[in-house]
């Protein structure tokens, strides 16, 4: 079983749609959680950190459920520019053991 | 402020050749990392460094060596390249944020093909 698992997609949605991505992790000692965005043939870039209380940044909302070892990302009012691969990232052991999920591809169409 | 830079951007090697990938960061970050990314897989950590003069093995260290002689530079060496090392290599650096989180900043990547 992979340490961090994501649905690879692709998710094909129209502009304006709401889309949700899920991620599960296996190490209960994991400490920090992130969503990164990666455009085709580019480097990953931090989208947002994920906190136990849940957090929101504009159209993006991230949730963490430690009991279920589950992380989610919700994108509201999808834009064409949201088309990318979204990577779920989990760190432990002081932040040095960083595990990346394989990513979920999103295509937003006009 | 260039952030994290990597050289070269592309390289083709023959099996058995050696090369060094250079990563440089100008953000004064303590921590630096080398990852490889293969199709259908997440980024996998090769080696990392928690400070100048220190390095440690990650998830997939075999066939690679690293050095961190200066805080701003992290070098990744392939002593004898193999086709299995064909991949995209990303360097990253990070610092400790409030709350104990480590946000990583990535370089643009090096696309390496070993024939």
């Amino acid at each position: 079983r992979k340490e961090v698992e994501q649905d690879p997609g692709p998710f094909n949605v129209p502009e304006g749609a709401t889309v949700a991505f899920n991620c599960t992790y296996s190490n209960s000692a994991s400490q920090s959680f992130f969503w990164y965005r990666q455009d085709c043939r580019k480097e990953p870039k931090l989208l947002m950190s994920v906190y136990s209380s849940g957090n929101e940044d504009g159209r993006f909302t991230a949730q963490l459920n430690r009991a279920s070892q589950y992380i989610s990302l919700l994108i509201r009012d999808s834009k064409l520019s949201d088309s990318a691969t979204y990577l779920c990232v989990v760190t432990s052991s002081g932040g040095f053991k960083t595990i990346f999920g394989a990513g979920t591809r999103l295509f937003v169409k006009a | 402020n260039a952030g994290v830079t990597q050289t070269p951007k592309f390289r083709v090697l023959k099996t058995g050749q050696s090369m060094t990938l250079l990563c440089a960061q100008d953000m004064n970050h303590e921590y630096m990392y080398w990852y490889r990314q293969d199709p259908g897989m997440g980024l996998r950590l090769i080696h990392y460094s928690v400070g100048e003069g220190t390095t440690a093995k990650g998830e997939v260290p075999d066939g690679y060596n690293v050095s961190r002689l200066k805080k701003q530079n992290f070098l990744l060496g392939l002593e004898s390249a193999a086709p299995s090392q064909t991949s995209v290599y990303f360097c990253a650096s990070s610092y400790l944020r409030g709350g104990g989180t480590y946000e990583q900043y990535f370089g643009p990547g090096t696309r390496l093909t070993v024939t």
Side-chain angles (χ1 to χ4, degrees), chain A residues 21-96:
Chain A
F21 303 139
N22 300 321
C23 170
T24 58
Y25 61 96
S26 61
N27 185 351
S28 60
S30 298
Q31 298 171 332
S32 300
F33 309 89
F34 307 89
W35 283 102
Y36 278 72
R37 170 194 169 125
Q38 186 173 25
D39 293 295
C40 188
R41 300 178 72 81
K42 299 286 189 180
E43 72 272 24
K45 293 185 178 179
L46 180 69
L47 180 65
M48 58 197 304
S49 301
V50 187
Y51 303 113
S52 296
S53 55
N55 47 300
E56 187 173 308
D57 183 2
R59 298 182 292 108
F60 299 85
T61 301
Q63 297 275 355
L64 167 64
N65 184 322
R66 284 189 183 269
S68 302
Q69 295 180 203
Y70 164 95
I71 305 159
S72 66
L73 176 68
L74 183 76
I75 304 175
R76 291 182 299 279
D77 189 22
S78 298
K79 310 292 185 191
L80 295 175
S81 57
D82 293 334
S83 296
T85 297
Y86 291 83
L87 307 175
C88 174
V89 182
V90 175
T91 69
S92 58
S93 301
F96 305 122

Side-chain angles (χ1 to χ4, degrees), chain A residues 2 32-34 36 38 40-46 49 51 87 91 94-103, chain B residues 10 31 33 35 37 40-43 45 48 50 59 90 97-109 111:
Chain A
K2 293 181 182 178
S32 300
F33 309 89
F34 307 89
Y36 278 72
Q38 186 173 25
C40 188
R41 300 178 72 81
K42 299 286 189 180
E43 72 272 24
K45 293 185 178 179
L46 180 69
S49 301
Y51 303 113
L87 307 175
T91 69
F96 305 122
K97 185 178 179 184
T98 302
I99 306 296
F100 284 76
Chain B
F10 304 92
Y31 315 125
Y33 315 79
Y35 294 91
Q37 186 174 34
M41 303 184 72
L43 279 80
L45 184 63
Y48 64 94
V50 302
E59 181 186 357
F90 287 103
R97 296 176 72 189
T101 58
Y102 291 80
E103 175 181 346
Q104 295 189 24
Y105 294 79
F106 284 82
R111 283 174 171 72

Side-chain angles (χ1 to χ4, degrees), chain A residues 2-19:
Chain A
K2 293 181 182 178
E3 288 195 61
V4 176
E5 295 207 62
Q6 295 182 249
D7 181 342
F11 285 59
N12 293 288
V13 303
E15 273 187 296
T18 296
V19 61

